[in-house]
Amino acid sequence: MTKSNLPENRLENRFPEKEPLLTKREATVEANRCLYCVDAPCIDSCPTSIDIPEFIRRIATENREGSAKTILESNILGYSCAQVCPTEVLCESTCVFNEMDEEPIRIGELQRYATEPAIENDVQFFEAGEPTGKRVALIGAGPASLSCAHRLRRYGHETTIFEAKSYPGGLNTDGVAPYKLHAHQSLKEIDYVRQIGGIDIEYNTAVGKDVTLEELEEDFDAIFIGAGLGPDNWLDIPGTDLDGVWGAVDLIAKMKVEEGYELPDDVHTACVVGGGNTAIDVVRELRGLGVDDVMLVYRRDEASMSGYEHEWEGAKKEGARGVWFSQPVEIVGDDHARALRCRKMRPASDDPDDRSLELVDGSDFDIDCDLVVVAIGQSKLGDLFADVDGVELDWGKIVIDAETGRTGNTKYFAGGDCVSGGKEVVDAVEEGKVAARSIHALLTDDAEASADEESTETAPSPVT
Amino acid sequence: MPDLSVNFAGIKSPNPFWLASAPPANSGEQVMRAFDAGWGGAVWKTLGQPIVNVSSRFGSLDYGDRRMIGFNNIELITDRPLEDNFREIEEVKRHYPDHAVIASLMVETKEEWKDIIARSIDAGADGLELNFGCPHGMCERGMGSAVGQEPKVCQEITSWAVEYSTVPVIVKLTPNVGDIIPPGRAAVRGGAHAVSLINTIKSIIGVDLDRGVIQPPVNTKSSNGGYCGQAVRPIALHMTNQLAQDRQVNIPISGIGGVETWRDALEFIYLGASTVQVCTAVMHHGYRIVEDMIDGTERFMRDKGFETIDEMVGKALPSYDQWGNLDLNHEIIAKIDADLCIGCQKCVAACHDGAHQCIHVGEDSRVPYIDEAECIGCNLCKYVCPVPDCITMVEVDNDKDSMTWNEYIAAKERGEDVEHPGKSTHQTHF
Ligand SMILES: Cc1cc2nc3c(=O)[nH]c(=O)nc-3n(C[C@H](O)[C@H](O)[C@H](O)COP(=O)(O)OP(=O)(O)OC[C@H]3O[C@@H](n4cnc5c(N)ncnc54)[C@H](O)[C@@H]3O)c2cc1C
Ligand SMILES: Cc1cc2nc3c(=O)[nH]c(=O)nc-3n(C[C@H](O)[C@H](O)[C@H](O)COP(=O)(O)O)c2cc1C
Ligand code: SF4
C-alpha cells in the first residue's frame, strides 16, 4: 500500500475479507446475468445514482477500465462504497431479479471488481479544471469533504481540508467494519482521489481549536462542513469509569488504526449495549477476534432494533446472542468491570403503536462479563457552529437545504453525518457532491450551474 | 485522444458505428434519438413501395438462459409512406448535418430506381444502400436476395443506381450464396462505391412441437426468415474477409452481422471493414449500447497506440492464408494445470468421444492427464474446460522445419524424398 502511514501490526488485519475480489470468471458470469434494465431501479436506489447497468455491461464487454470510469463519475469513493455500502438495502434491494424471487445481481462486488485495478494502478479519469482563483475550506477529511473537494477540483477551485486527526477518511478509515474494508484500503483510495492535485489536507488541525471559523471565513471564499459526528454517547450510570468499559467508536478506531493494540487476554465474555448498526458491528468484530460469548443488550425486542436485519442475522450465525428488554443500570466491578447490571423493561401499554417502555421494579439481574461496550450513538458536533450567523441547528445537526447543501449562511455548506445525524458513506459522498455544485454556483455567480449539472452529470473534463 | 471519425467512400461520420437498415432505423424520431445516444450514422429502413407486414414476425434462438443469441425475422421493407420517410430524412439531416444518413432502397424497374434515388438525394441522404439481400418475401417478388444471388442482375441494377446517383452507392450483399466473391465483383463492375454485408441468412428458427408449427407463427403458418444476431457473426466475418482479400473488390466494406460490443466491431474492422452496422443488438438492448462501443474502442486504441480507425482497418488480413499454406509441422499440445483443475472431466469425454482419445484419468486422482505423444493440439479440451487458464495449449519444439501441404506436394512432384509432415499418432501412421 502506498503512502499509507499506518502501522502494519493493527488488530483489524486479523480479519479476512468477507467478500474477496471476484475472479474474472465470477465477474463475467455475474455481469452477463445482469439484464441491463432500462431506467433501472438500482440506479434510483443508489444515493449517488451510479449508472449501474452501464458499468456492469462494460465488465461484460471486457471494458473494465471504462466500467471504473462510469462508477467514479458518479461516486469518487466508489471503490470503498463497493465494500461498505449496505447493498442489501440499497441498489441490490431493487434489482428486478428480486421480483422473480431470484438472487439480485451482486452489484457491490462487481463495483469493486471494476474499480480496484483503477485504484491499484492509479488510472486517472478526471482532470482539475482551469484555476478559478477561488478557495474553499472543508472541515473534516471524511467521505463528505473528500467527495466535495474532488468535485470542486474538477471545477477548478482550490481546496484545503482541515482534519483534527492525523489521518484522513473519517469513519471510512477508522469506523467501518474491518471485514468489509481495512483502513489501509481507505487510505489508498484517498491517495488515488487526491491524485487530481490541489486537495491539501492540514492534519492535526481541529477547527474551533487550532484554527478558528473567523480565520477560515477570512481566508476562504466558501466553507464546507463535513465534520461528521462526535465521540460516543455515554451511559449515565454508576461504574462507567471502570477499566473494561469502552465507547464503541473509540474501541473500533483502536482496532483499526492503533499500532499493536490488542484486546486484553482475559476477555471471554462481552456485553455490547445498543441496538443499532454500530452495536452489531462491535458484536461481530468481537466474535471475529475470538471472544467466546458476545451479547447484544438492548432495551427493546429484536424486531425493534434499528440495525439492519441482515447484519444481525449474520451476527447470530457467528454465535452472538441478544438480551432483550434490558436496560443497564450499573456496571459492577472493583477496578475492572465484572458484570453488567440490567433492569427488565416492558411495553408501557398494550397499544402496539405506543413504543414507550417502563422499567420493571425489582427485576435487576447481572450479566457477568469482562468487557462492556457502549454503542448508543455518537454525539453531535453542531455546537461548534452555534455562533455562526444564519447556520441553523436541529438537535445538534446542521440544517441544510437538501437540494443544494446550503446552510442559512451563504458562505457555509454542509453534508454527511453532521447533517443527517449518521447515515452511510455513500450518502456523505452524494451530499458532498451536491454541495460542490452549489459552491461552484456561488463562486462563479452562475445561478444555473447547479441546475444544469443536475441532469447531465457532466462536471468538466474527464480525461479518459 | 484517438480519432474515431471515418470517411467511408466519401460519406463522413463521427464514428464507424451505424444502425443497419432495420426497425431501429425506421423513423426520424428513432434515428435522432440514436444519434443523441452516440451512433455515427444510420442506414434507413429499406424504402420502396410500402408493403404490409405480418404479425408475429420475429423468432429467437435462446441458449440456456441467454436470450436471442440468434434472431430471425419475416419482416419486409418499410410499411410507411415514402413521403413520410423522405420528410423525416430531411429533418434528421437538418438537425444532424455531421452524421451519416444513408437511404436503403429496394424497387423493381429502372424508372422506379431513378425516381426513388432522386427523391432520396433531394431529401439529403449522404449515400444510398441498395438492398440486394432480403431473403424472404421480397425475393419472391424478384427483389432483394433474388438480385444479390444473380451477379449479372446485381451488376446491372448497381450501374443504374450509379448512373442516377450523385452520392456514394453502397451495395448490400446477401450471404445466401455459395461464394460471396461473384456478387461482390459484380457490384464493383457495376460501379458501386462500397459494399456492405451481410444481410440476413435464410433460416427456420425453430418449430413449436406442441402445435407442430414453424416459428414465428402467423396464425397456423410461417415462412422461412432471415437469420441474424450474435450467432451469424462468424459467417459475416468470413465473408468480410473474403471480399477484403479479393484484389478486384477494392472498395470500402461496411461490416454487418452479430455486432453487439466494441470487440465485435473491431473484429470486423481488423478484417477490412471501415464501418460496422448493427441491428439485432439494438433491438435487444437499445441504442445505449453504443456508449460502451465508443468508450471501449477508444480505450483499445489508446492501449494499442492507434490514432485513427483507418490504421486498424484490415490489421488481421495478413494472417489469413489458404489451408494448404499452413505449417503442418507447427505442433502444440494441451497442458492441464492440476492445481486449477476441479475434476469435472469434461475434457476427458470431449477428447475420448470427440477428439483423439488422449486424455486419461489415473487411479487415485480425479485430475486427468494428457498423453502428450498422442495429443494433436486441436483445442477442444481447452474450450470445454470451465476453469479459466486451467487447460492451455503450449508449443512443442519438435526440431522440424516448417512444411505446408502445398510444399510437401510440390517436393513430392519434384521427386524429392521428403518426410511426411505433421505428428504421427495412433490414428495417423505415415
Ligand atoms: C462503527 C461504524 C460503522 C460504520 N459502518 C458503515 C458501513 O459499513 N457502511 C457505510 O456506508 N457507513 C458506515 N458507517 C457510517 C459512515 O462511516 C459515515 O456515515 C460516514 O463516514 C460519514 O462521513 P462524514 O464525512 O460525514 O463524517 P466522518 O466520516 O465522521 O468524517 C468526519 C471527519 O471530520 C473530522 N472532524 C470532526 N470535527 C472536526 C473539527 N472540528 N475540525 C477538523 N476536523 C474535524 C473527524 O476527525 C473526521 O475525520 C459506520 C459508522 C460507524 C460509526
Ligand atoms: C427485423 C429485421 C428487419 C430487417 N429489415 C431490413 C431491411 O429493411 N433492409 C435491410 O437491408 N436489412 C434489413 N435487415 C437486416 C439487417 O439490416 C442486418 O443486415 C442483419 O440483421 C444482420 O445484422 P445484425 O446481426 O446486427 O442484426 C433486417 C433485420 C431484422 C432483424
Ligand atoms: S415489442 Fe412493442 S410492438 Fe412488438 S409486440 Fe411488444 S409491444 Fe407490440
Coordinates of all heavy atoms in Angstrom, one line a residue, chain B residues 248-315:
Chain B
Q248 N -9.9 -7.6 -56.7 CA -10.8 -6.9 -57.5 C -11.9 -6.1 -56.7 O -12.5 -5.2 -57.2 CB -11.5 -7.9 -58.5 CG -10.6 -8.5 -59.5 CD -11.3 -9.4 -60.4 OE1 -12.4 -9.2 -60.8 NE2 -10.6 -10.5 -60.8
V249 N -12.1 -6.6 -55.5 CA -13.1 -5.9 -54.7 C -12.3 -4.8 -53.9 O -12.0 -5.0 -52.7 CB -13.9 -6.8 -53.7 CG1 -14.9 -6.0 -52.9 CG2 -14.6 -7.9 -54.6
N250 N -12.0 -3.7 -54.5 CA -11.1 -2.8 -53.9 C -11.8 -1.5 -53.4 O -11.4 -0.4 -53.6 CB -10.0 -2.4 -54.9 CG -10.6 -2.0 -56.2 OD1 -11.8 -2.0 -56.4 ND2 -9.8 -1.6 -57.2
I251 N -13.0 -1.8 -52.9 CA -13.8 -0.6 -52.4 C -14.1 -0.9 -50.9 O -14.0 -2.0 -50.5 CB -15.2 -0.5 -53.2 CG1 -15.9 -1.9 -53.3 CG2 -14.9 0.0 -54.6 CD1 -17.2 -1.8 -54.0
P252 N -14.5 0.2 -50.2 CA -14.7 0.1 -48.8 C -15.8 -0.9 -48.4 O -16.7 -1.1 -49.2 CB -15.1 1.5 -48.3 CG -14.5 2.4 -49.4 CD -14.6 1.6 -50.7
I253 N -15.7 -1.5 -47.3 CA -16.6 -2.5 -46.8 C -17.3 -2.1 -45.5 O -16.6 -1.6 -44.6 CB -16.0 -3.9 -46.6 CG1 -15.3 -4.4 -47.9 CG2 -16.9 -4.9 -46.1 CD1 -14.4 -5.6 -47.7
S254 N -18.6 -2.2 -45.4 CA -19.3 -2.0 -44.2 C -19.7 -3.3 -43.6 O -20.4 -4.1 -44.2 CB -20.5 -1.1 -44.4 OG -21.1 -0.7 -43.2
G255 N -19.2 -3.6 -42.4 CA -19.4 -5.0 -41.9 C -20.7 -5.0 -41.1 O -20.9 -4.2 -40.2
I256 N -21.4 -6.1 -41.3 CA -22.7 -6.2 -40.6 C -22.9 -7.7 -40.2 O -22.5 -8.6 -40.9 CB -23.9 -5.9 -41.5 CG1 -23.7 -4.7 -42.3 CG2 -25.2 -5.7 -40.6 CD1 -24.7 -4.4 -43.4
G257 N -23.5 -7.9 -39.0 CA -23.9 -9.3 -38.6 C -23.3 -9.6 -37.3 O -22.2 -10.0 -37.1
G258 N -24.2 -9.6 -36.3 CA -23.8 -10.0 -34.9 C -22.9 -9.1 -34.2 O -22.2 -9.5 -33.2
V259 N -22.9 -7.8 -34.5 CA -22.1 -6.9 -33.7 C -22.9 -6.5 -32.5 O -24.0 -6.0 -32.6 CB -21.7 -5.7 -34.5 CG1 -21.0 -4.6 -33.7 CG2 -20.8 -6.1 -35.7
E260 N -22.3 -6.6 -31.3 CA -23.0 -6.2 -30.1 C -22.1 -5.3 -29.2 O -22.6 -4.5 -28.5 CB -23.5 -7.4 -29.3 CG -24.3 -7.1 -28.1 CD -25.1 -8.2 -27.5 OE1 -25.7 -9.0 -28.3 OE2 -25.1 -8.3 -26.3
T261 N -20.8 -5.6 -29.3 CA -19.8 -4.9 -28.4 C -18.7 -4.3 -29.3 O -18.6 -4.6 -30.5 CB -19.2 -5.8 -27.4 OG1 -18.3 -6.7 -28.1 CG2 -20.2 -6.7 -26.7
W262 N -17.9 -3.5 -28.6 CA -16.8 -2.8 -29.3 C -15.8 -3.9 -29.8 O -15.2 -3.7 -30.9 CB -16.0 -1.9 -28.3 CG -15.5 -2.5 -27.1 CD1 -16.2 -2.7 -25.9 CD2 -14.2 -3.0 -26.8 NE1 -15.4 -3.3 -25.0 CE2 -14.2 -3.5 -25.5 CE3 -13.0 -3.0 -27.6 CZ2 -13.0 -4.0 -24.9 CZ3 -11.9 -3.6 -27.0 CH2 -11.9 -4.1 -25.7
R263 N -15.7 -5.0 -29.1 CA -14.8 -6.1 -29.6 C -15.3 -6.7 -30.9 O -14.5 -6.9 -31.8 CB -14.7 -7.2 -28.5 CG -14.2 -6.7 -27.2 CD -14.1 -7.9 -26.2 NE -13.0 -8.7 -26.6 CZ -11.8 -8.5 -26.1 NH1 -11.5 -7.6 -25.2 NH2 -10.8 -9.3 -26.5
D264 N -16.6 -6.9 -30.9 CA -17.2 -7.5 -32.2 C -16.9 -6.5 -33.3 O -16.5 -6.9 -34.4 CB -18.7 -7.6 -32.0 CG -19.2 -8.5 -30.8 OD1 -18.3 -9.3 -30.4 OD2 -20.3 -8.3 -30.4
A265 N -17.1 -5.2 -33.1 CA -17.0 -4.2 -34.1 C -15.5 -4.2 -34.6 O -15.2 -4.2 -35.8 CB -17.4 -2.8 -33.6
L266 N -14.6 -4.3 -33.6 CA -13.2 -4.3 -34.0 C -12.8 -5.5 -34.8 O -11.9 -5.4 -35.7 CB -12.3 -4.1 -32.8 CG -12.3 -2.7 -32.2 CD1 -11.6 -2.6 -30.8 CD2 -11.7 -1.7 -33.2
E267 N -13.4 -6.6 -34.6 CA -13.1 -7.8 -35.4 C -13.4 -7.6 -36.8 O -12.6 -7.9 -37.7 CB -13.8 -9.0 -34.8 CG -13.3 -9.5 -33.5 CD -14.0 -10.8 -33.0 OE1 -14.5 -11.5 -33.8 OE2 -13.9 -11.1 -31.8
F268 N -14.5 -7.0 -37.1 CA -14.9 -6.6 -38.5 C -13.8 -5.6 -39.1 O -13.4 -5.8 -40.2 CB -16.3 -6.0 -38.6 CG -17.4 -7.0 -38.6 CD1 -18.0 -7.4 -37.5 CD2 -17.7 -7.6 -39.9 CE1 -19.0 -8.4 -37.5 CE2 -18.7 -8.6 -39.9 CZ -19.4 -9.0 -38.7
I269 N -13.5 -4.7 -38.3 CA -12.6 -3.6 -38.7 C -11.2 -4.3 -39.0 O -10.6 -4.0 -40.0 CB -12.5 -2.5 -37.7 CG1 -13.8 -1.7 -37.8 CG2 -11.3 -1.6 -38.0 CD1 -14.0 -0.6 -36.7
Y270 N -10.8 -5.2 -38.1 CA -9.5 -5.9 -38.3 C -9.5 -6.7 -39.6 O -8.5 -7.0 -40.2 CB -9.1 -6.7 -37.1 CG -8.2 -6.1 -36.2 CD1 -8.4 -4.8 -35.7 CD2 -7.1 -6.7 -35.7 CE1 -7.6 -4.2 -34.8 CE2 -6.2 -6.1 -34.8 CZ -6.4 -4.8 -34.4 OH -5.6 -4.2 -33.5
L271 N -10.7 -7.1 -40.0 CA -10.8 -7.9 -41.3 C -11.2 -7.1 -42.5 O -11.6 -7.6 -43.5 CB -11.8 -9.1 -41.1 CG -11.4 -10.2 -40.2 CD1 -12.4 -11.3 -40.0 CD2 -10.1 -10.8 -40.7
G272 N -11.0 -5.8 -42.3 CA -11.2 -4.9 -43.5 C -12.4 -4.1 -43.6 O -12.5 -3.3 -44.6
A273 N -13.3 -4.1 -42.7 CA -14.5 -3.2 -42.7 C -14.0 -1.9 -42.2 O -13.2 -1.8 -41.3 CB -15.6 -3.8 -41.9
S274 N -14.6 -0.8 -42.8 CA -14.2 0.5 -42.2 C -15.4 1.2 -41.5 O -15.3 2.2 -40.9 CB -13.6 1.4 -43.3 OG -14.2 1.3 -44.5
T275 N -16.6 0.6 -41.6 CA -17.7 0.9 -40.7 C -18.4 -0.4 -40.4 O -18.2 -1.4 -41.1 CB -18.8 1.9 -41.4 OG1 -19.3 1.2 -42.6 CG2 -18.2 3.2 -41.8
V276 N -19.2 -0.3 -39.3 CA -19.9 -1.5 -38.9 C -21.4 -1.1 -38.7 O -21.7 0.0 -38.3 CB -19.4 -2.3 -37.7 CG1 -18.1 -2.9 -37.9 CG2 -19.4 -1.3 -36.5
Q277 N -22.3 -2.0 -39.0 CA -23.7 -1.7 -38.8 C -24.3 -2.7 -37.8 O -23.9 -3.9 -37.8 CB -24.4 -1.8 -40.1 CG -23.9 -0.8 -41.2 CD -24.7 -0.9 -42.5 OE1 -25.9 -1.3 -42.5 NE2 -24.1 -0.5 -43.6
V278 N -25.3 -2.3 -37.1 CA -25.9 -3.1 -36.0 C -27.4 -3.0 -36.1 O -28.0 -2.0 -36.2 CB -25.4 -2.6 -34.6 CG1 -26.0 -3.5 -33.5 CG2 -23.9 -2.5 -34.5
C279 N -28.0 -4.2 -36.0 CA -29.5 -4.3 -35.9 C -29.9 -5.0 -34.7 O -30.5 -4.4 -33.7 CB -30.0 -4.9 -37.2 SG -31.7 -5.5 -37.0
T280 N -29.7 -6.3 -34.6 CA -30.2 -7.1 -33.6 C -29.9 -6.7 -32.2 O -30.7 -6.6 -31.3 CB -29.8 -8.6 -33.7 OG1 -30.2 -9.1 -35.0 CG2 -30.5 -9.5 -32.7
A281 N -28.6 -6.3 -31.9 CA -28.2 -5.9 -30.6 C -28.9 -4.7 -30.1 O -29.2 -4.5 -28.9 CB -26.7 -5.7 -30.6
V282 N -29.2 -3.8 -31.1 CA -30.0 -2.6 -30.7 C -31.5 -3.0 -30.4 O -32.1 -2.5 -29.5 CB -29.9 -1.5 -31.8 CG1 -30.9 -0.4 -31.5 CG2 -28.5 -1.0 -31.9
M283 N -32.0 -3.9 -31.2 CA -33.3 -4.4 -30.9 C -33.4 -5.1 -29.6 O -34.4 -5.0 -28.9 CB -33.8 -5.4 -32.0 CG -33.9 -4.7 -33.4 SD -34.5 -5.9 -34.7 CE -36.2 -6.2 -34.2
H284 N -32.3 -5.7 -29.1 CA -32.3 -6.4 -27.8 C -32.1 -5.4 -26.7 O -32.7 -5.5 -25.6 CB -31.2 -7.4 -27.9 CG -31.2 -8.4 -26.8 ND1 -30.4 -9.5 -26.7 CD2 -32.0 -8.5 -25.6 CE1 -30.7 -10.2 -25.6 NE2 -31.6 -9.6 -25.0
H285 N -31.1 -4.5 -26.8 CA -30.7 -3.7 -25.7 C -30.9 -2.2 -25.8 O -30.7 -1.4 -24.8 CB -29.2 -3.9 -25.4 CG -28.8 -5.3 -25.2 ND1 -29.3 -6.0 -24.1 CD2 -28.1 -6.2 -25.9 CE1 -28.8 -7.2 -24.1 NE2 -28.0 -7.4 -25.2
G286 N -31.3 -1.7 -27.0 CA -31.5 -0.3 -27.1 C -30.2 0.4 -27.7 O -29.1 -0.1 -27.7
Y287 N -30.4 1.7 -28.1 CA -29.4 2.5 -28.7 C -28.2 2.6 -27.8 O -27.0 2.8 -28.2 CB -29.9 3.9 -29.0 CG -31.0 3.9 -30.1 CD1 -32.2 4.6 -29.8 CD2 -30.9 3.2 -31.3 CE1 -33.2 4.6 -30.8 CE2 -31.9 3.2 -32.2 CZ -33.1 3.9 -32.0 OH -34.1 3.9 -32.9
R288 N -28.4 2.6 -26.4 CA -27.4 2.9 -25.5 C -26.1 2.0 -25.5 O -25.1 2.4 -25.0 CB -27.9 2.9 -24.0 CG -28.5 1.5 -23.6 CD -29.5 1.6 -22.6 NE -30.2 0.3 -22.6 CZ -30.4 -0.5 -21.5 NH1 -30.0 0.0 -20.3 NH2 -30.9 -1.6 -21.6
I289 N -26.2 0.9 -26.2 CA -25.0 0.0 -26.3 C -23.9 0.7 -27.0 O -22.7 0.4 -26.8 CB -25.3 -1.3 -27.0 CG1 -25.7 -1.1 -28.4 CG2 -26.2 -2.2 -26.2 CD1 -25.7 -2.4 -29.3
V290 N -24.2 1.8 -27.7 CA -23.1 2.4 -28.5 C -22.1 3.2 -27.5 O -21.0 3.4 -27.9 CB -23.7 3.4 -29.5 CG1 -24.2 4.7 -28.9 CG2 -22.6 3.7 -30.6
E291 N -22.6 3.5 -26.3 CA -21.8 4.3 -25.4 C -20.5 3.5 -25.1 O -19.4 4.0 -25.1 CB -22.6 4.5 -24.1 CG -22.4 5.7 -23.4 CD -23.2 5.8 -22.1 OE1 -24.5 5.9 -22.2 OE2 -22.7 5.6 -21.0
D292 N -20.7 2.2 -24.8 CA -19.6 1.3 -24.5 C -18.8 1.0 -25.7 O -17.6 0.8 -25.7 CB -20.1 0.1 -23.7 CG -19.0 -0.9 -23.5 OD1 -17.9 -0.5 -22.9 OD2 -19.1 -2.1 -23.9
M293 N -19.5 0.9 -26.9 CA -18.8 0.6 -28.1 C -17.8 1.7 -28.3 O -16.6 1.5 -28.7 CB -19.7 0.5 -29.3 CG -20.6 -0.7 -29.3 SD -21.9 -0.8 -30.6 CE -20.9 -1.2 -32.0
I294 N -18.2 2.9 -28.1 CA -17.3 4.1 -28.3 C -16.1 4.1 -27.3 O -15.0 4.1 -27.6 CB -18.0 5.4 -28.3 CG1 -19.0 5.5 -29.5 CG2 -17.1 6.6 -28.2 CD1 -19.9 6.7 -29.4
D295 N -16.6 4.0 -26.0 CA -15.6 4.0 -24.9 C -14.6 2.9 -25.0 O -13.4 3.1 -24.9 CB -16.3 4.0 -23.6 CG -15.4 4.2 -22.4 OD1 -15.1 5.4 -22.2 OD2 -14.9 3.3 -21.7
G296 N -15.1 1.7 -25.3 CA -14.2 0.5 -25.4 C -13.2 0.6 -26.5 O -12.1 0.3 -26.4
T297 N -13.7 1.1 -27.7 CA -12.9 1.3 -28.8 C -11.8 2.3 -28.6 O -10.6 2.1 -28.9 CB -13.7 1.7 -30.1 OG1 -14.7 0.7 -30.3 CG2 -12.9 1.9 -31.3
E298 N -12.2 3.4 -28.0 CA -11.2 4.5 -27.7 C -10.1 4.0 -26.8 O -8.9 4.2 -26.9 CB -11.9 5.7 -27.0 CG -12.5 6.6 -28.0 CD -13.3 7.7 -27.3 OE1 -13.3 7.8 -26.0 OE2 -13.8 8.6 -28.0
R299 N -10.5 3.2 -25.7 CA -9.5 2.7 -24.8 C -8.6 1.7 -25.5 O -7.4 1.7 -25.2 CB -10.3 2.0 -23.6 CG -10.1 2.6 -22.3 CD -11.2 2.1 -21.4 NE -12.1 3.2 -21.1 CZ -11.8 4.3 -20.4 NH1 -10.6 4.4 -19.8 NH2 -12.6 5.3 -20.2
F300 N -9.2 0.8 -26.3 CA -8.4 -0.2 -27.0 C -7.4 0.6 -27.9 O -6.2 0.2 -27.9 CB -9.3 -1.0 -27.9 CG -8.6 -2.0 -28.8 CD1 -8.2 -3.2 -28.3 CD2 -8.3 -1.7 -30.1 CE1 -7.6 -4.1 -29.1 CE2 -7.7 -2.6 -30.9 CZ -7.3 -3.8 -30.4
M301 N -7.8 1.6 -28.6 CA -6.9 2.3 -29.5 C -5.8 3.0 -28.7 O -4.6 2.9 -29.1 CB -7.7 3.4 -30.3 CG -8.6 2.7 -31.3 SD -9.7 3.9 -32.1 CE -8.6 4.9 -33.2
R302 N -6.1 3.5 -27.6 CA -5.1 4.2 -26.7 C -4.1 3.1 -26.3 O -2.9 3.3 -26.3 CB -5.7 4.9 -25.5 CG -5.4 6.3 -25.5 CD -5.8 7.0 -24.2 NE -7.0 6.3 -23.6 CZ -8.2 6.8 -23.7 NH1 -8.4 8.0 -24.3 NH2 -9.2 6.2 -23.1
D303 N -4.6 2.0 -25.8 CA -3.7 0.9 -25.4 C -2.8 0.4 -26.5 O -1.6 0.1 -26.2 CB -4.5 -0.3 -24.9 CG -5.2 -0.1 -23.6 OD1 -4.9 1.0 -22.9 OD2 -6.0 -1.0 -23.1
K304 N -3.3 0.3 -27.7 CA -2.5 -0.3 -28.8 C -1.8 0.8 -29.6 O -1.1 0.5 -30.5 CB -3.4 -1.0 -29.7 CG -4.1 -2.2 -29.1 CD -3.3 -3.5 -29.0 CE -4.1 -4.6 -28.4 NZ -3.3 -5.6 -27.9
G305 N -2.0 2.1 -29.2 CA -1.3 3.1 -29.9 C -1.9 3.5 -31.3 O -1.2 4.0 -32.2
F306 N -3.2 3.2 -31.5 CA -3.8 3.6 -32.8 C -4.4 5.0 -32.6 O -5.0 5.3 -31.6 CB -4.9 2.7 -33.2 CG -4.5 1.3 -33.5 CD1 -4.9 0.2 -32.8 CD2 -3.7 1.1 -34.6 CE1 -4.5 -1.1 -33.1 CE2 -3.3 -0.2 -34.9 CZ -3.7 -1.3 -34.2
E307 N -4.2 5.8 -33.7 CA -4.8 7.2 -33.6 C -6.1 7.3 -34.4 O -6.9 8.1 -34.1 CB -3.8 8.2 -34.0 CG -3.0 8.7 -32.8 CD -1.7 9.3 -33.2 OE1 -1.5 9.8 -34.3 OE2 -0.8 9.2 -32.3
T308 N -6.2 6.5 -35.5 CA -7.4 6.6 -36.3 C -7.9 5.2 -36.6 O -7.2 4.2 -36.5 CB -7.1 7.2 -37.7 OG1 -6.2 6.4 -38.4 CG2 -6.5 8.6 -37.6
I309 N -9.2 5.2 -37.0 CA -9.8 3.9 -37.3 C -9.1 3.3 -38.5 O -8.9 2.1 -38.6 CB -11.3 4.1 -37.7 CG1 -12.1 4.6 -36.4 CG2 -12.0 2.9 -38.2 CD1 -12.3 3.6 -35.3
D310 N -8.8 4.1 -39.5 CA -8.1 3.6 -40.7 C -6.9 2.8 -40.4 O -6.6 1.8 -41.1 CB -7.7 4.8 -41.6 CG -8.9 5.3 -42.4 OD1 -9.9 4.6 -42.5 OD2 -8.8 6.4 -43.0
E311 N -6.2 3.2 -39.4 CA -4.9 2.4 -39.0 C -5.3 1.0 -38.7 O -4.4 0.1 -38.7 CB -4.2 3.1 -37.8 CG -3.6 4.4 -38.2 CD -3.1 5.1 -36.9 OE1 -2.8 4.5 -35.9 OE2 -3.0 6.4 -37.0
M312 N -6.5 0.7 -38.2 CA -6.9 -0.6 -37.8 C -7.5 -1.4 -38.9 O -7.6 -2.7 -38.8 CB -7.8 -0.5 -36.6 CG -7.2 0.2 -35.4 SD -8.3 0.0 -33.9 CE -9.7 1.0 -34.4
V313 N -8.0 -0.8 -39.9 CA -8.7 -1.5 -41.0 C -7.9 -2.5 -41.6 O -6.8 -2.2 -42.2 CB -9.3 -0.5 -42.0 CG1 -9.9 -1.2 -43.2 CG2 -10.3 0.4 -41.4
G314 N -8.3 -3.8 -41.6 CA -7.5 -4.8 -42.3 C -6.3 -5.3 -41.5 O -5.5 -6.1 -42.0
K315 N -6.2 -4.9 -40.2 CA -5.0 -5.3 -39.5 C -4.8 -6.9 -39.4 O -3.6 -7.3 -39.4 CB -5.2 -4.9 -38.0 CG -4.5 -3.6 -37.7 CD -3.0 -3.9 -37.3 CE -2.2 -2.7 -37.4 NZ -0.7 -3.0 -37.4

